[in-house]
Amino acid sequence: MRSERWRLLPNSRGLLALLSLLVTAAMIVAACGDGDDDGEPAVAQAQVQQQEQEQPQAEAPAAEEEVIWIDIGVVAPSSGSYEVFGHTYEASGKLVEHEINTGAQYCIDQGVCEPGGGFMIDGKLHKLRIHFRDDRSDINAHVALVQELVRDVGIVACMCGTPHDFAVASSKVTQPAKVLHFSGSSTLEEILTAEATAVGGENHYLFQTETREWQRSGSIMKGGVDLLDPNSEVSVIMMLNDATGQFLAPYIKRALEANGQTVPEIIYWDPATTDFSPLFSRAKAHDPDIIVFMYDPDRAIQAIPQALEIGAANSGYFMFGIDPAEFRKRDLDSDLPIAMACVPLCHGETDRAEAREYWVRYDAFGNELRSFSSVSLLTYDDYYMLIKAYQAAGTFEDSDAVVAALLDVRYDGVIADGFFFDDRHIVAHGTEVCVSRQGVFECQFTPPPATPPPGTPGF
C-alpha cells in the first residue's frame, strides 16, 4: 500500500520525498554516533546554527559611533630642492591629524575635540583623513597632484603650495572647484585683492597663512638691524635667484631702507652655487656693515663661513630661516654677530609659552626639529581655525558658508592670540629674530610694521 502511494506521486515530488527520508536517516545515524556521549548531537548542532543565522542584527554588539570623515589634502615638497620648507607641511599635518582624531589634551583644551577623539559638527562626530602628496619640488607634479586630490579623492580643503609660484599655480585648480586652499606663500597677496576674495570672486576660497610680505620683511629687517648694529648704514642683499627670490628681494630692500640702510646692490646667486667667495668679494667692494643672505637656510650656513674668511661685512651677517638650535650644532666661529630669523617663531629660543609647548608636542610626536621647522606654524593653527569654522557653519560641505564662518574666527593659537584672517584672507603676525654673539643668544620678537614702506605694490 505504501509503495502504491509513492508510485502515484509525480516524479519530482517522489524524488524530493525520497531525499527527505535519506537525510532524516543520516541525521539519526549521526545522532547515535559511536557511543560517545560527550559531543552534542548533530540535530541539536543544526538547530543551534539555524538559530544563530536567524538572530536579528540588532542583537549584535553595538558598533562604534558613526564617524563622518573629512578629506583634506597636503601637497608640498618632501624631497627635492624645496624640501627644507615642504617637509613641515607633512609634519604639521600628521601632528594635527593625530591630535584631532585621538582627542589629544591640547585639542580638547582648545575647545575643538571630544575626549574620545574627533569633533562635533551639527551634533555628529567627524574626523580628519589627510592625504599627503610629495610634489618632489616640481611645479608640474604639484599641479597634477592637486588635480588628483580635487577630482578623484574629493578633498574639501588643501594645505598646498610652497614655494610661492607653486601655490599660485595650484590655485587655478582649487578655486573653480570651491576647495579651500591654504598656503604660506606671501606672494598670494598679489592675487588676493578685495574683488577676488569677495563672494563670487575668483579667489574666494584662497587663504594666505603667512603675513603680508611687507609686514614680514619689515619685521625681520627691523629685528636684524636692531640686534646687529643699530648704527649701521649700508647693507648688501645676497638672494637666491628663483621666482621666490625675485619676488622677495625688492621687499627686503625697501624694509632695510625703512630701517636706515642704504642698499647699493642685490646680488642674486644661482641655486647650483657652492663657491660663494667671488660673490662675497663683490659684496665686500661696497664696504657693507651688514650682509643679508636670503633665503635658503641650509645654503646660508654653508656660505657664511666663506664670508668670514674674507671679512666681507663690518658689523655682522643676517640669515633667514636658521633656528638658534640648528645654529648651535654648526659651531660657527665668528667675531662678528650673526643674526637669524625664524618663520615665525623659533624652537631653539622663544619667549612665547604656547610656542614652547608646541615644540614639545612636535618633537614628542617624532617630527625632527631642524632648519625651517618653524614653517610648520604656517599651517598648524589654520587646521584648528578651519575646524572651528566648520563647527560655526554647521557644515564642512558648503564652502561658501565655511569661508564666511572662517572670517569670523578669532583663535588663540601658537602664533598669536586673537589670530584671524582679514577680509582679503591674509593673516598678520610678527617674527622672531635672534643674534648670536660667539654662541650667546639674544632674541627679539618684532611685530609687523603698521604701514608699508614707500614703493610697496598696492600702496
Side-chain angles (χ1 to χ4, degrees):
M1 184 71 180
R2 186 174 181 179
S3 61
E4 289 295 319
R5 283 181 56 196
W6 280 115
R7 279 196 293 270
L8 293 173
L9 290 172
N11 290 340
S12 58
R13 291 181 60 193
L15 183 61
L16 182 60
L18 179 60
L19 180 61
S20 177
L21 286 172
L22 291 173
V23 169
T24 301
M27 290 176 64
I28 293 171
V29 172
C32 294
D34 56 1
D36 185 2
D37 295 329
D38 294 335
E40 184 180 13
V43 173
Q45 288 181 351
Q47 291 174 342
V48 169
Q49 290 173 359
Q50 183 177 6
Q51 289 173 357
E52 289 177 347
Q53 292 172 359
E54 292 175 354
Q55 287 287 340
Q57 292 183 354
E59 294 182 15
E64 285 188 29
E65 183 177 0
E66 182 181 358
V67 174
I68 300 173
W69 293 91
I70 300 176
D71 292 298
I72 292 178
V74 172
V75 183
S78 296
S79 60
S81 57
Y82 294 119
E83 182 272 346
V84 67
F85 316 106
H87 81 277
T88 64
Y89 277 60
E90 181 175 356
S92 63
K94 288 184 174 179
L95 175 59
V96 165
E97 186 178 41
H98 168 76
E99 289 180 340
I100 288 173
N101 290 350
T102 63
Q105 190 60 50
Y106 175 80
C107 188
I108 294 172
D109 292 344
Q110 292 301 104
V112 171
C113 280
E114 298 298 303
F119 52 94
M120 304 301 290
I121 301 176
D122 194 26
K124 299 176 181 177
L125 187 67
H126 294 67
K127 291 187 178 183
L128 298 184
R129 184 162 49 207
I130 302 182
H131 305 264
F132 299 91
R133 299 291 188 273
D134 175 13
D135 63 29
R136 308 183 306 280
S137 302
D138 183 317
I139 192 169
N140 295 318
H142 175 79
V143 173
L145 290 168
V146 173
Q147 286 178 328
E148 177 231 333
L149 290 176
V150 170
R151 297 176 184 177
D152 300 338
V153 176
I155 60 171
V156 295
C158 194
M159 302 291 177
C160 297
T162 183
H164 304 295
D165 46 332
F166 285 47
V168 175
S170 57
S171 70
K172 307 304 180 185
V173 176
T174 58
Q175 297 312 282
K178 296 185 177 183
V179 170
L180 273 70
H181 184 161
F182 300 84
S183 173
S185 166
S186 57
T187 59
L188 291 181
E189 65 185 89
E190 295 183 313
I191 61 175
L192 290 175
T193 63
E195 180 181 7
T197 56
V199 176
E202 63 179 348
N203 293 317
H204 183 57
Y205 311 100
L206 184 61
F207 291 83
Q208 179 173 310
T209 63
E210 185 175 26
T211 193
R212 287 174 170 83
E213 188 52 48
W214 63 266
Q215 293 175 317
R216 195 265 298 275
S217 296
S219 177
I220 64 174
M221 288 298 94
K222 176 173 174 48
V225 171
D226 285 352
L227 292 173
L228 286 172
D229 183 0
N231 299 314
S232 59
E233 297 179 350
V234 179
S235 291
V236 171
I237 300 169
M238 297 182 65
M239 180 65 72
L240 174 59
N241 192 15
D242 65 357
T244 299
Q246 294 285 345
F247 171 79
L248 291 176
Y251 283 92
I252 297 296
K253 181 176 184 292
R254 286 189 292 266
L256 284 166
E257 291 170 342
N259 285 277
Q261 303 293 299
T262 298
V263 182
E265 187 178 11
I266 300 171
I267 300 173
Y268 290 95
W269 52 275
D270 187 89
T273 304
T274 56
D275 182 5
F276 290 91
S277 297
L279 298 178
F280 282 121
S281 295
R282 180 172 154 187
K284 184 178 181 179
H286 295 290
D287 195 27
D289 296 308
I290 299 172
I291 290 180
V292 176
F293 193 96
M294 298 283 287
Y295 62 92
D296 185 324
D298 288 342
R299 303 305 296 282
I301 206 72
Q302 298 170 20
I304 294 301
Q306 299 176 36
L308 294 173
E309 288 180 3
I310 64 172
N314 299 320
S315 296
Y317 302 89
F318 178 93
M319 300 183 296
F320 183 74
I322 287 286
D323 191 278
E326 187 68 20
F327 184 84
R328 288 190 187 98
K329 298 177 185 177
R330 306 306 175 103
D331 195 26
L332 201 156
D333 185 21
S334 172
D335 292 332
L336 292 180
I338 299 177
M340 55 210 75
C342 300
V343 188
L345 301 172
C346 304
H347 62 79
E349 299 281 344
T350 181
D351 291 331
R352 183 165 172 79
E354 291 82 355
R356 289 195 297 271
E357 294 165 4
Y358 169 75
W359 294 124
V360 171
R361 297 196 306 276
Y362 187 92
D363 181 54
F365 183 67
N367 288 326
E368 181 185 6
L369 292 170
R370 48 175 285 200
S371 295
F372 267 139
S373 289
S374 57
V375 171
S376 65
L377 288 173
L378 299 185
T379 54
Y380 180 78
D381 283 342
D382 305 282
Y383 285 103
Y384 283 95
M385 295 171 75
L386 178 60
I387 292 172
K388 283 184 172 288
Y390 289 153
Q391 294 174 321
T395 178
F396 70 90
E397 296 172 303
D398 184 342
S399 298
D400 291 300
V402 173
V403 169
L406 183 56
L407 294 178
D408 287 334
V409 170
R410 299 295 181 270
Y411 182 64
D412 295 338
V414 176
I415 292 181
D417 296 332
F419 203 42
F420 69 96
F421 288 97
D422 64 19
D423 58 358
R424 286 182 54 191
H425 300 186
I426 304 173
V427 297
H429 59 75
T431 310
E432 211 157 31
V433 178
C434 297
V435 65
S436 170
R437 290 183 172 85
Q438 296 183 332
V440 178
F441 280 91
E442 178 186 358
C443 297
Q444 172 179 309
F445 182 82
T446 310
T451 57
T456 300
F459 294 93

